[in-house]
């Protein structure tokens, strides 16, 4: 565990931002009362995850539930307050049961889910149940690896012909679970799948000019790359802001575990386009095709992910102008979020960040707080005050 050392004083505004964010996370422990909140706020407030099919309200389903324990583990590292650790630990049983009983596992998002809910407690407090559950999740993720395309299928069951051979840029963030599984087991097959998957995205999901597709299809039988398309972006050939941010952080994390320079170059390509297409205040519109003057919402969650990604990218660059540039742009965006998008001074909301967009084309979670935006904002603040912070990813 990394905690703030004596004499390591964060910039006052970052310290205040952190205090405000942690006060909200602390209040949410009792507000959520052991239930999982919905993916996004409704009118600025998180409600319990709605009941769906066999799942009662507040159940552990979907791809975003782990951002809550992720915030709690960060809270514990930042404060050493046992209330955070207790609330974070309480989630492990639910994630273990989900993996053991194979509940709602037909997704590539097992990386998001199990890295924050189960790898984090293994890294921080050597929690064995967390480790076993994360290894089960990694095994399940491997069942989605499609030969000969060399990609992990993103969505749907493996028999779902509409999703067969399709992956999405977000998937890059799910690869650290596979590198971790290789470290833990000594078996290279997990890491090898992650390397192949990332190389396919490097070659096909990034377009000439540095924009990215949200999703891309391969022929599941021959492995031939077919076509890009969007799901949550404005059009098939626009550049969905959160996808570009996943690209920055995801390729940089894949570099961390492989030291494949082409992955670091891919992260830079995503970063340069993202930074060149920001509005004046530094917080991206939900699709990078929009800018100042467009009557469109921002996506604060894309901004928060990009901050973490830019810091990760800078970590791996040699000391020099480029590294300083990405660090400076990360701090600029983070400070913009704190100043104008955080809920400090907005007690009516229990999110950390306002003005996120989940899925504009489907009108879901538009101009709301988002669980992942909150997590990455807190990670961005933690990275600012704990420069030696050990990643959960
Ligand atoms: N990973 C899903 C999203 O970013 O909306």
């Amino acid at each position: 565990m990394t905690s703030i050392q004596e004499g390591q004083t964060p910039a006052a505004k970052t310290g205040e931002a952190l205090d405000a964010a942690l006060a909200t996370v602390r209040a949410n422990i009792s507000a959520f009362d052991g239930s999982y909140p919905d993916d996004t706020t409704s009118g600025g407030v998180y409600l319990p995850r709605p009941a769906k099919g066999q799942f009662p309200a507040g159940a552990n389903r979907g791809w975003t539930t782990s951002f809550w324990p992720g915030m709690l583990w960060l809270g514990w590292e930042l404060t050493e307050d046992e209330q955070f650790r207790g609330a974070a630990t309480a989630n492990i049983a639910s994630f273990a049961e989900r993996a053991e009983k194979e509940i709602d596992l037909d997704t590539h998002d097992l990386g998001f889910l199990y890295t924050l809910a189960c790898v984090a407690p293994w890294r921080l407090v050597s929690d064995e149940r967390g480790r076993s559950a994360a290894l089960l999740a990694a095994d399940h993720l491997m069942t989605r690896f499609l030969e000969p395309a060399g990609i992990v299928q993103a969505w749907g069951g493996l028999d779902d012909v509409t999703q067969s051979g399709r992956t999405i840029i977000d998937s890059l963030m799910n690869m650290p679970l596979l590198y971790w599984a290789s470290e833990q087991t000594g078996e290279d097959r997990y890491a090898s799948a992650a390397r192949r998957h990332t190389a396919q995205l490097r070659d096909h999901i990034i377009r000439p000019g540095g924009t990215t597709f949200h999703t891309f299809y391969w022929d599941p039988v021959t492995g031939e790359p077919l076509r890009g398309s969007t799901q949550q972006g404005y059009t098939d050939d626009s550049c969905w802001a959160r996808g570009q941010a996943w690209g920055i952080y995801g390729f940089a994390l894949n570099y961390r575990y492989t030291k494949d320079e082409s992955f670091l170059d891919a992260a830079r390509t995503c970063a340069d386009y993202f930074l060149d297409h920001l509005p004046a205040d530094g917080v991206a519109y939900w699709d990078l095709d929009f800018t100042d003057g467009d009557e469109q919402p921002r996506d604060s969650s894309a901004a928060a992910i990009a901050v973490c990604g830019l810091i990760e990218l800078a970590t791996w660059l040699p000391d020099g102008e480029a590294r300083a540039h990405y660090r400076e742009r990360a701090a600029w965006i983070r400070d913009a979020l704190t100043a104008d998008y955080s809920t400090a001074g907005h007690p009516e909301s229990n999110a950390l960040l306002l003005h996120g967009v989940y899925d504009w084309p489907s009108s879901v979670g538009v101009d709301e707080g988002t669980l992942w935006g909150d997590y990455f904002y807190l990670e961005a603040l933690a990275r600012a005050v704990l420069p030696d912070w050990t990643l959960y990813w």
Side-chain angles (χ1 to χ4, degrees), residues 63 109 112 168 170 232 240 242 246 358 372:
W63 72 279
D109 286 324
F112 281 114
I168 70 174
D170 324 27
Q232 285 159 258
W240 180 48
R242 193 159 63 256
W246 291 136
Y358 184 5
W372 59 93

Side-chain angles (χ1 to χ4, degrees), residues 127-357:
D127 189 285
E128 284 289 349
R129 192 161 186 208
R131 177 179 181 275
S132 308
L135 285 173
L136 274 181
D139 281 332
H140 204 85
L141 191 52
M142 286 295 286
T143 66
R144 303 181 69 79
F145 184 71
L146 306 182
E147 295 275 2
I151 56 125
V152 174
Q153 182 177 318
W155 293 323
L158 294 172
D159 53 355
D160 179 345
V161 289
T162 65
Q163 299 299 337
S164 186
R166 185 186 200 188
T167 200
I168 70 174
I169 191 161
D170 324 27
S171 63
L172 293 167
M173 297 294 295
N174 292 317
M175 298 301 112
L177 180 68
L178 297 180
Y179 297 118
W180 173 83
S182 274
E183 263 166 41
Q184 292 295 310
T185 60
E187 291 178 43
D188 186 58
R189 64 194 174 91
Y190 303 96
S192 161
R195 284 192 299 269
R196 284 187 61 197
H197 177 87
T198 305
Q200 286 287 55
L201 268 66
R202 172 201 64 203
D203 293 345
H204 300 290
I205 220 156
I206 301 181
R207 297 178 287 222
T211 62
T212 51
F213 287 115
H214 180 193
T215 90
F216 199 93
Y217 291 86
W218 281 258
D219 184 310
V221 177
T222 66
E224 189 196 346
L226 297 177
R227 68 184 184 284
S229 71
T230 200
Q231 183 74 19
Q232 285 159 258
Y234 190 58
T235 63
D236 284 344
D237 52 12
S238 70
C239 188
W240 180 48
R242 193 159 63 256
Q244 196 78 6
W246 291 136
I248 303 170
Y249 202 2
F251 279 119
L253 286 172
N254 277 279
Y255 174 78
R256 169 179 281 264
Y257 293 107
T258 61
K259 300 298 182 291
D260 180 328
E261 290 292 334
S262 71
F263 296 166
L264 200 61
D265 290 346
R268 277 188 83 164
T269 299
C270 293
D272 291 342
Y273 189 89
F274 187 90
L275 292 171
D276 284 348
H277 291 80
L278 293 181
D281 77 354
V283 175
Y285 282 80
W286 70 276
D287 191 295
L288 296 178
D289 277 20
F290 301 118
T291 191
D292 286 314
D294 287 319
E295 295 285 313
Q296 291 284 339
R298 307 302 181 95
D299 181 9
S300 58
S301 76
I305 295 159
V307 173
C308 298
L310 290 168
I311 297 168
E312 183 65 19
L313 164 59
T315 303
W316 299 107
L317 295 173
D319 206 8
E321 235 174 78
R323 174 191 261 194
H325 166 69
Y326 293 124
R327 285 196 173 147
E328 182 279 322
R329 291 287 87 181
W332 172 60
I333 299 169
R334 187 195 65 227
D335 289 349
L337 288 173
T338 296
D340 296 318
Y341 293 79
S342 79
T343 50
H346 290 272
E348 71 282 6
S349 176
N350 64 352
L352 305 190
L353 282 184
L354 301 166
H355 309 309
V357 171

Side-chain angles (χ1 to χ4, degrees), residues 26-42:
R26 200 188 301 276
N28 282 344
I29 295 174
S30 36
F32 295 167
D33 194 24
S35 285
Y36 288 98
D38 205 353
D39 302 316
T40 73
T41 59
S42 299

